[in-house]
Amino acid sequence: ATDEPITDELWDDLEALLIQADVGVETTMYLVNRTKDRCNRYGVKRAREARDMLKAEMVRVLQEQERRQPVNANPSIVLVVGVNGAGKTTLIAKLAYRLKNQFGKRVLLAAGDTFRAAATEQLETWAERVGVPVISRGQGADPGAVVYDAIEAVSGGDFDVLIIDTAGRLHAKTNLMLELQKLRNIIRRKFPDAPHEVLLVIDATTGQNGVLQAKSFLKAVDVTDVAVTKLDGTAKGGIAFAIAQDIERPIRYVGTGEKMTDLALFDAETFVESLFAQD
Amino acid sequence: MFESLSDRLQAVFQKLGGKGKLTEEDVREAMKQVRIALLEADVNLKVVREFVARVTEKAVGEEVTKSLTPAQQVIKIVHQELIDLLGQANVPLAEARPGPTIIMLIGLQGSGKTTTAAKLALWLRKKGKRPLLVAADIYRPAAITQLESLGRQLGIPVHSEGAQSRPPDIARNAVRRARDESITHVIIDTAGRLQIDEPLMVELEQINAAVEPVERLLVVDAMIGQEAVRVAEEFNRRVGLTGIIFTKIDGDARGGAALSVRAVTGVPIKFLGSGEKVEASTIEPFHPDRLASRILGM
Ligand SMILES: Nc1nc2c(ncn2[C@@H]2O[C@H](COP(=O)(O)OP(=O)(O)OP(=O)(O)O)[C@@H](O)[C@H]2O)c(=O)[nH]1
Ligand SMILES: Nc1nc2c(ncn2[C@@H]2O[C@H](COP(=O)(O)OP(=O)(O)OP(=O)(O)O)[C@@H](O)[C@H]2O)c(=O)[nH]1
Ligand SMILES: [K+]
Ligand SMILES: [Mg+2]
Ligand SMILES: [Mg+2]
């Protein structure tokens, strides 16, 4: 079946495949039409070759973003943002675990979600499991005060990395987005070039709303990287492709489960391959 | 939720409205736009295809009635089909007789189950009921503390046994306690799980068998994409869903998953949840007929 000639049905199938993976209609049409044109131009006749061209195009788009290098700083300050329930707090546990155990980094966490019930306890539980300290003030406290405390704590040179958890917020809520900017300003008072990484966490099951999420967070706090969580499910996370293309930021991390070891570095080829995998 | 789908569809029909007589060509062009609008709103691809095919067939074959312009007639057909997708009237929460009414909230990780459990409890108490919240998520760090904290905040009792007991036992003990304390509604908060996680799906079946909840409600994040149908179908197959709750509708998600999930499983959407604050106003019964009209700006 892989050596079949190109038919209209192939384009319909590819279109359906990408739409069902949440890549989005507009992005899908763009990709499929572009591949169609190139097949015509280069006289490509086989379905498999067309499919490979489409995949290669998607990999290229993703890899182009990956060329942006992360900033090297010490201490390095990471701000983690995203909508409610995306997987921010769990991802922070995974990152802390990786930095500590693979790279021997001295990591500090900050419980900047002072809003949600037991958000602080959740991060504290993770910190204990990973074996890293956490700065917190508990529910109802001013998140700015937590961030301030954390910034003070890393000023003495005792830590290499500070990762700040924030409350989940829907990107359409202006006041909550302004609050994020406030947190960033508090960081900058002491470290003008920080945060060095602003990590946007996207749930792999997210539909077309994901692009709006990314645009808003980019605008508010200049997202530097994207993490896609919950890729261990059946969702393919195609929205992450649309996001990377739209906001021109690399996807860096992939969450593959609920344990602190369930983290992978993003790999464009693996990701695109799995988008096309039929199951 | 739904505003942007509504705007898109109304724009399509506005264009049609200008025409005196509709040709088959007009209908097909309009349906092409409807298809894109639905897909951009995250309606499932298969559902979109069937929807568009049905509307096209009816609209093209339709006798023109005197009282309606052709465009109005197409809108009428779309309206009817939307109602068919969404269901007619609100389906209220079931009541078990004799009580207590047992409600189990289930769904993917982070969809909003714990928050919704608290909102639902508050909603019931406002109706003069006596709810009990049950902490049956023994896995997520601080999940029990989260529910206990919400219960404390609202003054609603929480049954929890820590993370050492098994969830089916926790549920069973909670129901026993409910009988002793003349509780009217038992709301079980379960751990988030993937529908392909076999051990956790078996656990869900065990809780289900242990206490036989009359309501098995799937809690779905309104921002979900094409995945919604697959998730709903599988949870439905395992425990027989009685209703769906869509959460986080306070965002700008287009909510198309709501249309798909009901269409594919036939399970009614019972509530919509909005806001991360746990207040009574943040959960409301869902009225499909009103929504269909609102989407079309009628
Ligand atoms: N299957 C799976 N579940 C995940 C993954 N990452 C996080 N989760 C689960 O998703 C749920 C939400 O995760 P959190 O880390 O609390 O998400 P959050 O973004 O911090 O949520 P809020 O702070 O409430 O906005 C939890 O049940 C996690 O265990 C993942 O990669 N795979
Ligand atoms: N904006 C908004 N946020 C909500 C809504 N419902 C829940 N949330 C938030 O979504 C996040 C996840 O909610 P939870 O209730 O913890 O979700 P869950 O399904 O219990 O998560 P797990 O137990 O980890 O599977 C939290 O940040 C909640 O505050 C809602 O209707 N609107
Ligand atoms: K997957
Ligand atoms: Mg969190
Ligand atoms: Mg929960």
Side-chain angles (χ1 to χ4, degrees):
Chain A
T2 47
D3 201 34
E4 279 166 10
I6 292 176
T7 57
D8 279 350
E9 210 186 345
L10 170 75
W11 302 119
D12 288 349
D13 286 350
L14 289 174
E15 196 183 300
L17 185 143
L18 292 180
I19 286 174
Q20 283 174 311
D22 292 313
V23 171
V25 198
E26 204 180 311
T27 310
T28 295
M29 305 281 242
Y30 167 79
L31 289 168
V32 170
N33 286 334
R34 198 178 143 93
T35 308
K36 209 190 272 185
D37 287 347
R38 291 174 68 205
C39 284
N40 286 336
R41 192 157 359 119
Y42 301 120
V44 171
K45 295 274 184 298
R46 299 281 137 203
R48 170 198 279 192
E49 235 178 304
R51 194 181 291 262
D52 286 347
M53 272 171 86
L54 175 55
K55 285 184 193 170
E57 167 72 10
M58 294 181 76
V59 169
R60 191 189 60 76
V61 168
L62 292 168
Q63 284 177 344
E64 199 173 309
Q65 303 311 330
E66 281 171 51
R67 264 189 254 123
R68 285 170 164 265
Q69 286 302 314
V71 183
N72 259 323
N74 198 303
S76 172
I77 299 172
V78 184
L79 185 66
V80 180
V81 301
V83 298
N84 308 78
K88 296 174 290 300
T89 306
T90 311
L91 185 81
I92 288 169
K94 295 173 183 179
L95 291 176
Y97 176 85
R98 173 170 180 269
L99 288 167
K100 177 174 184 249
N101 293 296
Q102 262 184 35
F103 299 97
K105 300 282 187 194
R106 298 166 302 165
V107 182
L108 178 69
L109 305 183
D113 180 357
T114 58
F115 181 80
R116 210 205 63 218
T120 296
E121 287 88 340
Q122 184 188 3
L123 190 70
E124 284 170 350
T125 306
W126 277 123
E128 200 181 304
R129 286 187 196 170
V130 177
V132 296
V134 53
I135 299 281
S136 64
R137 285 183 168 227
Q139 198 182 351
D142 173 9
V146 174
V147 169
Y148 181 84
D149 288 352
I151 290 296
E152 287 293 308
V154 296
S155 295
D158 295 335
F159 296 98
D160 304 309
V161 186
L162 165 65
I163 312 178
I164 303 168
D165 193 12
T166 62
R169 66 200 73 221
L170 297 180
H171 54 281
K173 298 191 174 172
T174 322
N175 57 331
L176 296 182
M177 298 305 272
L178 285 176
E179 184 192 84
L180 274 186
Q181 288 178 346
K182 254 173 63 189
L183 296 184
R184 185 179 59 173
N185 293 342
I186 293 170
I187 299 170
R188 284 188 177 166
R189 258 183 251 150
K190 196 112 197 186
F191 297 98
D193 59 341
H196 307 98
E197 193 175 347
V198 178
L199 190 55
L200 173 67
V201 180
I202 298 283
D203 182 328
T205 62
T206 312
Q208 298 314 298
N209 190 246
V211 177
L212 300 178
Q213 291 174 25
K215 279 183 168 152
S216 302
F217 280 103
L218 178 78
K219 188 160 159 249
V221 284
D222 199 6
V223 169
T224 60
D225 311 283
V226 178
V228 187
T229 59
K230 310 185 194 175
L231 265 177
D232 46 324
T234 47
K236 306 241 162 127
I239 191 64
F241 177 86
I243 288 173
Q245 188 182 45
D246 194 286
I247 69 167
E248 302 187 335
R249 291 293 184 273
I251 307 170
R252 288 260 191 247
Y253 308 104
V254 167
T256 57
E258 298 188 79
K259 298 191 298 296
M260 58 193 174
T261 46
D262 293 331
L263 179 74
L265 291 186
F266 180 77
D267 177 70
E269 285 180 22
T270 310
F271 179 77
V272 169
E273 219 32 74
S274 76
L275 278 186
F276 282 78
Q278 305 278 8
D279 45 20
Chain B
M1 194 168 74
F2 293 118
E3 283 83 6
S4 133
L5 173 61
S6 174
D7 291 348
R8 289 288 301 266
L9 289 181
Q10 287 177 46
V12 174
F13 296 129
Q14 210 134 47
K15 257 205 206 143
L16 275 186
K19 313 212 173 200
K21 196 161 179 264
L22 288 189
T23 63
E24 185 171 334
E25 190 66 14
D26 292 333
V27 173
R28 290 198 193 280
E29 180 52 36
M31 282 307 129
K32 216 185 266 174
Q33 300 302 320
V34 168
R35 173 178 179 272
I36 292 176
L38 291 173
L39 286 173
E40 283 182 347
D42 293 315
V43 181
N44 180 271
L45 179 63
K46 289 190 187 114
V47 174
V48 171
R49 280 181 178 156
E50 283 162 25
F51 182 87
V52 166
R54 267 200 313 275
V55 173
T56 307
E57 188 192 346
K58 285 191 184 165
V60 168
E62 188 88 336
E63 287 283 301
V64 177
T65 48
K66 286 231 172 64
S67 54
L68 295 177
T69 68
Q72 284 171 332
Q73 208 147 343
V74 175
I75 294 174
K76 195 178 137 223
I77 294 167
V78 170
H79 185 237
Q80 191 49 53
E81 290 294 327
L82 273 179
I83 289 179
D84 280 356
L85 279 191
L86 287 162
Q88 284 281 356
N90 167 256
V91 180
L93 208 60
E95 290 267 345
R97 280 175 215 281
T101 295
I102 303 170
I103 301 167
M104 176 167 78
L105 298 183
I106 60 183
L108 296 180
Q109 287 94 346
S111 63
K113 296 172 292 300
T114 307
T115 310
T116 302
K119 289 178 182 177
L120 197 56
L122 188 58
W123 185 80
L124 285 164
R125 195 182 59 192
K126 292 241 158 136
K127 295 201 166 310
K129 313 292 186 188
R130 288 171 47 97
L132 172 70
L133 288 162
V134 183
D137 176 359
I138 59 169
Y139 307 104
R140 169 171 167 172
I144 297 171
T145 315
Q146 184 186 1
L147 195 68
E148 284 174 342
S149 158
L150 290 169
R152 206 174 315 119
Q153 185 189 322
L154 301 173
I156 287 172
V158 176
H159 179 83
S160 68
E161 304 180 11
Q164 304 315 317
S165 302
R166 309 301 309 161
D169 297 329
I170 297 171
R172 211 178 282 119
N173 293 337
V175 172
R176 203 168 296 141
R177 169 174 163 187
R179 295 215 168 89
D180 292 343
E181 297 179 13
S182 57
I183 292 289
T184 61
H185 289 75
V186 177
I187 304 171
I188 306 171
D189 177 33
T190 65
R193 66 201 73 213
L194 296 172
Q195 84 282 6
I196 52 166
D197 185 329
E198 193 52 29
L200 282 186
M201 291 306 278
V202 168
E203 178 198 81
L204 211 53
E205 290 172 333
Q206 288 168 347
I207 303 175
N208 200 23
V211 297
E212 298 182 346
V214 285
E215 285 286 6
R216 300 171 295 279
L217 303 175
L218 183 70
V219 178
V220 183
D221 185 327
M223 293 178 280
I224 196 170
Q226 297 284 319
E227 185 67 1
V229 162
R230 216 181 321 206
V231 173
E233 278 182 324
E234 187 58 14
F235 274 99
N236 193 28
R237 192 176 74 79
R238 299 301 287 254
V239 296
L241 298 175
T242 57
I244 298 170
I245 301 181
F246 271 90
T247 63
K248 310 183 198 175
I249 70 152
D250 44 324
D252 56 7
R254 295 174 194 175
L259 274 73
S260 334
V261 165
R262 166 60 177 68
V264 170
T265 60
V267 177
I269 300 164
K270 290 198 169 167
F271 290 94
L272 298 180
S274 68
E276 53 267 88
K277 286 203 189 72
V278 180
E279 292 157 355
S281 59
T282 57
I283 192 161
E284 52 174 276
F286 176 67
H287 294 275
D289 39 353
R290 291 184 204 164
L291 179 65
S293 306
R294 216 175 73 208
I295 289 178
L296 295 174
M298 299 167 83

Short mmCIF file of all heavy atoms in Angstrom, two decimals, chain A residues 185-217:
data_model
loop_
_atom_site.label_atom_id
_atom_site.label_comp_id
_atom_site.label_asym_id
_atom_site.label_seq_id
_atom_site.Cartn_x
_atom_site.Cartn_y
_atom_site.Cartn_z
N ASN A 185 8.17 41.37 36.93
CA ASN A 185 8.83 42.61 37.34
C ASN A 185 9.57 42.45 38.67
O ASN A 185 10.64 43.04 38.86
CB ASN A 185 7.82 43.75 37.43
CG ASN A 185 7.27 44.11 36.06
OD1 ASN A 185 7.89 43.75 35.05
ND2 ASN A 185 6.13 44.76 36.03
N ILE A 186 8.99 41.68 39.56
CA ILE A 186 9.64 41.45 40.85
C ILE A 186 10.97 40.72 40.64
O ILE A 186 11.98 41.05 41.24
CB ILE A 186 8.70 40.66 41.80
CG1 ILE A 186 7.50 41.54 42.17
CG2 ILE A 186 9.44 40.19 43.04
CD1 ILE A 186 6.39 40.82 42.88
N ILE A 187 10.94 39.74 39.72
CA ILE A 187 12.17 39.01 39.41
C ILE A 187 13.23 39.98 38.85
O ILE A 187 14.40 39.95 39.22
CB ILE A 187 11.90 37.89 38.37
CG1 ILE A 187 10.89 36.88 38.92
CG2 ILE A 187 13.20 37.20 37.96
CD1 ILE A 187 10.37 35.89 37.88
N ARG A 188 12.78 40.85 37.97
CA ARG A 188 13.72 41.72 37.24
C ARG A 188 14.36 42.80 38.10
O ARG A 188 15.39 43.36 37.72
CB ARG A 188 13.01 42.36 36.05
CG ARG A 188 12.86 41.37 34.92
CD ARG A 188 12.35 42.00 33.66
NE ARG A 188 12.29 40.98 32.62
CZ ARG A 188 11.64 41.14 31.47
NH1 ARG A 188 11.01 42.27 31.23
NH2 ARG A 188 11.65 40.18 30.59
N ARG A 189 13.72 43.10 39.22
CA ARG A 189 14.31 44.11 40.08
C ARG A 189 15.70 43.66 40.53
O ARG A 189 16.60 44.46 40.70
CB ARG A 189 13.41 44.36 41.30
CG ARG A 189 12.61 45.64 41.14
CD ARG A 189 11.78 45.91 42.38
NE ARG A 189 10.37 45.70 42.10
CZ ARG A 189 9.48 45.30 42.98
NH1 ARG A 189 9.84 45.00 44.22
NH2 ARG A 189 8.22 45.17 42.64
N LYS A 190 15.84 42.36 40.73
CA LYS A 190 17.14 41.85 41.18
C LYS A 190 17.97 41.27 40.03
O LYS A 190 19.18 41.39 39.99
CB LYS A 190 16.91 40.76 42.23
CG LYS A 190 18.12 40.42 43.04
CD LYS A 190 17.90 40.86 44.47
CE LYS A 190 19.15 40.95 45.28
NZ LYS A 190 18.80 41.24 46.69
N PHE A 191 17.26 40.62 39.09
CA PHE A 191 17.95 40.00 37.95
C PHE A 191 17.35 40.56 36.66
O PHE A 191 16.40 39.99 36.11
CB PHE A 191 17.78 38.47 37.99
CG PHE A 191 18.39 37.83 39.20
CD1 PHE A 191 17.62 37.49 40.30
CD2 PHE A 191 19.76 37.54 39.22
CE1 PHE A 191 18.19 36.89 41.41
CE2 PHE A 191 20.34 36.94 40.33
CZ PHE A 191 19.55 36.61 41.43
N PRO A 192 17.91 41.67 36.18
CA PRO A 192 17.30 42.38 35.04
C PRO A 192 17.14 41.54 33.78
O PRO A 192 16.25 41.81 32.98
CB PRO A 192 18.26 43.54 34.79
CG PRO A 192 19.00 43.72 36.08
CD PRO A 192 19.09 42.36 36.70
N ASP A 193 17.98 40.52 33.58
CA ASP A 193 17.85 39.73 32.35
C ASP A 193 16.99 38.47 32.56
O ASP A 193 16.91 37.62 31.68
CB ASP A 193 19.24 39.34 31.83
CG ASP A 193 20.03 38.55 32.85
OD1 ASP A 193 19.67 38.61 34.05
OD2 ASP A 193 20.98 37.85 32.46
N ALA A 194 16.39 38.38 33.73
CA ALA A 194 15.56 37.20 34.02
C ALA A 194 14.08 37.52 33.77
O ALA A 194 13.74 38.69 33.62
CB ALA A 194 15.78 36.78 35.47
N PRO A 195 13.18 36.56 33.74
CA PRO A 195 13.44 35.12 33.79
C PRO A 195 14.15 34.63 32.53
O PRO A 195 13.87 35.11 31.43
CB PRO A 195 12.04 34.50 33.90
CG PRO A 195 11.11 35.56 33.38
CD PRO A 195 11.75 36.86 33.67
N HIS A 196 15.07 33.71 32.71
CA HIS A 196 15.84 33.22 31.58
C HIS A 196 15.06 32.26 30.72
O HIS A 196 15.34 32.06 29.56
CB HIS A 196 17.12 32.57 32.10
CG HIS A 196 17.88 33.48 33.03
ND1 HIS A 196 17.77 33.39 34.39
CD2 HIS A 196 18.68 34.55 32.76
CE1 HIS A 196 18.51 34.35 34.94
NE2 HIS A 196 19.06 35.07 33.98
N GLU A 197 14.08 31.67 31.36
CA GLU A 197 13.20 30.77 30.60
C GLU A 197 11.77 31.01 31.08
O GLU A 197 11.52 31.02 32.29
CB GLU A 197 13.63 29.32 30.87
CG GLU A 197 13.03 28.32 29.92
CD GLU A 197 13.58 26.90 30.12
OE1 GLU A 197 14.59 26.73 30.82
OE2 GLU A 197 12.96 25.97 29.60
N VAL A 198 10.86 31.24 30.14
CA VAL A 198 9.44 31.30 30.48
C VAL A 198 8.80 30.14 29.74
O VAL A 198 8.69 30.14 28.51
CB VAL A 198 8.80 32.64 30.06
CG1 VAL A 198 7.30 32.63 30.39
CG2 VAL A 198 9.49 33.80 30.76
N LEU A 199 8.42 29.14 30.51
CA LEU A 199 8.00 27.88 29.92
C LEU A 199 6.47 27.80 29.90
O LEU A 199 5.82 27.86 30.95
CB LEU A 199 8.58 26.75 30.78
CG LEU A 199 8.49 25.32 30.28
CD1 LEU A 199 9.09 25.18 28.90
CD2 LEU A 199 9.20 24.40 31.27
N LEU A 200 5.92 27.69 28.71
CA LEU A 200 4.46 27.56 28.56
C LEU A 200 4.09 26.08 28.51
O LEU A 200 4.59 25.35 27.65
CB LEU A 200 4.00 28.26 27.28
CG LEU A 200 2.53 28.05 26.92
CD1 LEU A 200 1.60 28.71 27.94
CD2 LEU A 200 2.23 28.58 25.51
N VAL A 201 3.22 25.67 29.40
CA VAL A 201 2.83 24.25 29.46
C VAL A 201 1.50 24.05 28.74
O VAL A 201 0.51 24.73 29.05
CB VAL A 201 2.73 23.78 30.92
CG1 VAL A 201 2.34 22.31 30.99
CG2 VAL A 201 4.06 24.01 31.64
N ILE A 202 1.50 23.14 27.79
CA ILE A 202 0.31 22.85 26.99
C ILE A 202 -0.08 21.38 27.15
O ILE A 202 0.74 20.49 26.96
CB ILE A 202 0.59 23.13 25.48
CG1 ILE A 202 0.92 24.61 25.25
CG2 ILE A 202 -0.58 22.68 24.62
CD1 ILE A 202 -0.25 25.55 25.25
N ASP A 203 -1.33 21.16 27.47
CA ASP A 203 -1.88 19.80 27.58
C ASP A 203 -2.08 19.25 26.17
O ASP A 203 -2.68 19.91 25.32
CB ASP A 203 -3.23 19.93 28.32
CG ASP A 203 -3.92 18.60 28.57
OD1 ASP A 203 -3.78 17.67 27.76
OD2 ASP A 203 -4.61 18.51 29.60
N ALA A 204 -1.61 18.02 25.94
CA ALA A 204 -1.69 17.43 24.59
C ALA A 204 -3.12 17.26 24.09
O ALA A 204 -3.35 17.16 22.88
CB ALA A 204 -0.99 16.07 24.57
N THR A 205 -4.09 17.25 24.99
CA THR A 205 -5.48 17.07 24.52
C THR A 205 -6.11 18.40 24.06
O THR A 205 -7.23 18.40 23.58
CB THR A 205 -6.40 16.49 25.63
OG1 THR A 205 -6.44 17.42 26.72
CG2 THR A 205 -5.91 15.15 26.11
N THR A 206 -5.38 19.49 24.20
CA THR A 206 -5.93 20.81 23.86
C THR A 206 -6.30 20.93 22.39
O THR A 206 -5.55 20.52 21.51
CB THR A 206 -4.90 21.91 24.19
OG1 THR A 206 -4.39 21.69 25.49
CG2 THR A 206 -5.53 23.29 24.10
N GLY A 207 -7.44 21.53 22.16
CA GLY A 207 -7.88 21.78 20.80
C GLY A 207 -7.40 23.13 20.30
O GLY A 207 -6.35 23.62 20.71
N GLN A 208 -8.18 23.74 19.43
CA GLN A 208 -7.75 24.95 18.73
C GLN A 208 -7.56 26.15 19.65
O GLN A 208 -6.95 27.14 19.26
CB GLN A 208 -8.74 25.27 17.60
CG GLN A 208 -8.77 24.15 16.57
CD GLN A 208 -7.37 23.71 16.18
OE1 GLN A 208 -6.59 24.50 15.66
NE2 GLN A 208 -7.01 22.45 16.46
N ASN A 209 -8.07 26.07 20.86
CA ASN A 209 -7.86 27.12 21.83
C ASN A 209 -6.38 27.29 22.17
O ASN A 209 -5.95 28.35 22.62
CB ASN A 209 -8.66 26.76 23.09
CG ASN A 209 -8.73 27.89 24.09
OD1 ASN A 209 -8.19 27.79 25.18
ND2 ASN A 209 -9.37 28.98 23.70
N GLY A 210 -5.61 26.25 21.94
CA GLY A 210 -4.19 26.27 22.30
C GLY A 210 -3.41 27.42 21.67
O GLY A 210 -2.55 28.03 22.32
N VAL A 211 -3.74 27.74 20.43
CA VAL A 211 -3.01 28.82 19.76
C VAL A 211 -3.32 30.17 20.43
O VAL A 211 -2.42 30.99 20.63
CB VAL A 211 -3.35 28.88 18.25
CG1 VAL A 211 -2.64 30.04 17.58
CG2 VAL A 211 -2.96 27.57 17.58
N LEU A 212 -4.58 30.34 20.82
CA LEU A 212 -4.94 31.57 21.53
C LEU A 212 -4.21 31.64 22.87
O LEU A 212 -3.72 32.70 23.28
CB LEU A 212 -6.45 31.63 21.77
CG LEU A 212 -7.34 31.60 20.53
CD1 LEU A 212 -8.81 31.61 20.93
CD2 LEU A 212 -7.04 32.79 19.63
N GLN A 213 -4.14 30.50 23.55
CA GLN A 213 -3.41 30.44 24.82
C GLN A 213 -1.99 30.93 24.60
O GLN A 213 -1.49 31.82 25.30
CB GLN A 213 -3.34 29.01 25.35
CG GLN A 213 -4.64 28.43 25.83
CD GLN A 213 -4.50 26.95 26.20
OE1 GLN A 213 -3.42 26.48 26.53
NE2 GLN A 213 -5.60 26.22 26.15
N ALA A 214 -1.33 30.33 23.63
CA ALA A 214 0.08 30.62 23.39
C ALA A 214 0.29 32.09 23.05
O ALA A 214 1.20 32.74 23.57
CB ALA A 214 0.61 29.72 22.27
N LYS A 215 -0.58 32.62 22.21
CA LYS A 215 -0.45 34.04 21.81
C LYS A 215 -0.56 34.96 23.02
O LYS A 215 0.20 35.91 23.16
CB LYS A 215 -1.54 34.40 20.80
CG LYS A 215 -1.22 33.97 19.39
CD LYS A 215 -2.31 34.44 18.46
CE LYS A 215 -1.90 34.29 17.01
NZ LYS A 215 -3.06 34.08 16.13
N SER A 216 -1.54 34.67 23.88
CA SER A 216 -1.74 35.54 25.05
C SER A 216 -0.58 35.46 26.02
O SER A 216 -0.13 36.49 26.53
CB SER A 216 -3.01 35.15 25.80
OG SER A 216 -4.10 35.23 24.96
N PHE A 217 -0.11 34.26 26.29
CA PHE A 217 1.01 34.14 27.23
C PHE A 217 2.28 34.75 26.63
O PHE A 217 3.08 35.35 27.34
CB PHE A 217 1.23 32.67 27.63
CG PHE A 217 0.28 32.19 28.69
CD1 PHE A 217 -0.80 31.39 28.35
CD2 PHE A 217 0.44 32.55 30.02
CE1 PHE A 217 -1.70 30.94 29.32
CE2 PHE A 217 -0.45 32.13 31.00
CZ PHE A 217 -1.53 31.32 30.65
#
